Amino acid sequence: MEYDKYDSQIRILSPNKKILLHSFSIFCSWSDSEKKQAEVKEISNRTFFLRGESNSEEGRIFTLESRSEIFENKITLLFSNTEPLILFSLSSNFLQNVSLNRMSLSASFSPELLEVYRSSGLKDSATFQEEYWLGKGGFQAYSDNAGFIIYHEKNISSMQLSSSRRRITVNLDWELDHPLLHFPLLKESANKSENHSSRFVKKGSTLTNSFSLQGIRSPRPVPRISKYPSGKSAGLIW
């Protein structure tokens, strides 16, 4: 990992010094939880402060911090000693009561997009859409003997991919991943609903997430988990 103290940004490098990920940012969309029709506010933070680095039995650890008016975000990166794995752990502490619409970590990647593993279990490799909502799917990127795979991460809300801009967005929480419409009991109105999809977060509460990148030096076949068709209670890996 490289840290640029002048622009407060990080870059993730491969063992042969190729840039894998760069231009990180944290996005947050929220509203005042105490107002019924509160204005939706947004912030995009591209500033990260390196707070520490250390070695452990598991690998090298870097600790970063990002702050805004509503949250303090701690990001820990573990570079494994035993396998080509990078583990991202995120802890977001909220500084006020909010209705959280969306919180995400995004970054640009340099290797070429090789395969996309869609939420349906299908794979795109010949042609790609401009934008993907991948759910718990993922993708493989590779070029010049360096690349990575991210797939089936359980401790996130969802993942999105812009193939044209080579940018990944990891949704830590997003209201569209858990939509909830409330239809109040009214005498004269029909089909009137209230959107209760956003998450209420109390001041002092912490949102925790994690995901990992698997480094590769050559393209690799990835077993994919199928959807459960027709109500079956099991999936196939092939």
Side-chain angles (χ1 to χ4, degrees):
M1 190 192 85
E2 285 186 347
Y3 179 72
D4 190 330
K5 63 181 180 180
Y6 296 104
D7 64 6
S8 300
Q9 269 287 333
I10 62 173
R11 288 179 288 274
I12 306 298
L13 307 180
S14 69
N16 58 358
K17 303 302 181 181
K18 302 291 184 181
I19 297 177
L20 298 179
L21 294 170
H22 62 95
S23 303
F24 284 79
S25 67
I26 291 181
F27 173 81
C28 190
S29 171
W30 79 97
S31 60
D32 189 334
S33 61
E34 298 177 358
K35 298 179 181 178
K36 290 186 176 181
Q37 295 181 341
E39 175 188 0
V40 175
K41 301 178 182 179
E42 296 180 351
I43 188 170
S44 183
N45 196 343
R46 302 176 184 274
T47 302
F48 299 86
F49 299 101
L50 181 61
R51 296 308 189 194
E53 54 182 296
S54 60
N55 291 304
S56 70
E57 294 182 358
E58 296 177 314
R60 191 158 181 79
I61 300 172
F62 295 88
T63 303
L64 301 155
E65 186 181 86
S66 180
R67 297 173 63 93
S68 75
E69 61 183 278
I70 68 156
F71 67 81
E72 295 176 341
N73 195 289
K74 179 182 176 181
I75 305 174
T76 303
L77 283 75
L78 169 64
F79 292 78
S80 174
N81 283 334
T82 58
E83 56 182 322
L85 185 75
I86 306 172
L87 175 63
F88 289 74
S89 299
L90 300 97
S91 176
S92 305
N93 181 43
F94 287 83
L95 306 178
Q96 55 183 303
N97 295 339
V98 297
S99 290
L100 183 63
N101 302 323
R102 186 181 188 185
M103 191 169 193
S104 63
L105 173 70
S106 63
S108 297
F109 57 93
S110 296
E112 295 181 8
L113 185 61
L114 199 63
E115 295 180 336
V116 174
Y117 313 118
R118 305 174 68 167
S119 59
S120 62
L122 300 177
K123 177 181 73 174
D124 286 359
S125 57
T127 59
F128 302 109
Q129 298 175 185
E130 288 288 320
E131 302 279 345
Y132 287 93
W133 178 85
L134 296 174
K136 296 295 195 296
F139 66 95
Q140 179 172 179
Y142 170 83
S143 58
D144 297 329
N145 299 316
F148 63 89
I149 298 169
I150 179 170
Y151 179 59
H152 200 60
E153 295 297 325
K154 296 180 179 180
N155 198 23
I156 62 173
S157 182
S158 66
M159 195 184 312
Q160 292 173 268
L161 172 67
S162 172
S163 60
S164 58
R165 297 190 299 128
R166 293 190 188 180
R167 192 157 182 87
I168 174 180
T169 298
V170 177
N171 291 310
L172 310 177
D173 190 84
W174 191 19
E175 62 177 350
L176 294 184
D177 289 331
H178 43 77
L180 176 62
L181 295 180
H182 171 64
F183 292 84
L185 183 61
L186 300 173
K187 292 182 179 180
E188 299 180 355
S189 298
N191 297 324
K192 179 178 176 58
S193 63
E194 300 173 352
N195 188 354
H196 289 187
S197 302
S198 61
R199 173 185 292 198
F200 172 69
V201 183
K202 289 185 177 181
K203 178 181 178 180
S205 297
T206 301
L207 177 66
T208 58
N209 305 88
S210 63
F211 63 93
S212 61
L213 299 180
Q214 183 78 39
I216 56 174
R217 293 188 176 182
S218 61
R220 184 179 300 177
V222 176
R224 303 189 308 282
I225 300 176
S226 72
K227 287 287 188 180
Y228 298 162
S230 305
K232 300 294 191 300
S233 59
L236 300 175
I237 300 178
W238 71 93

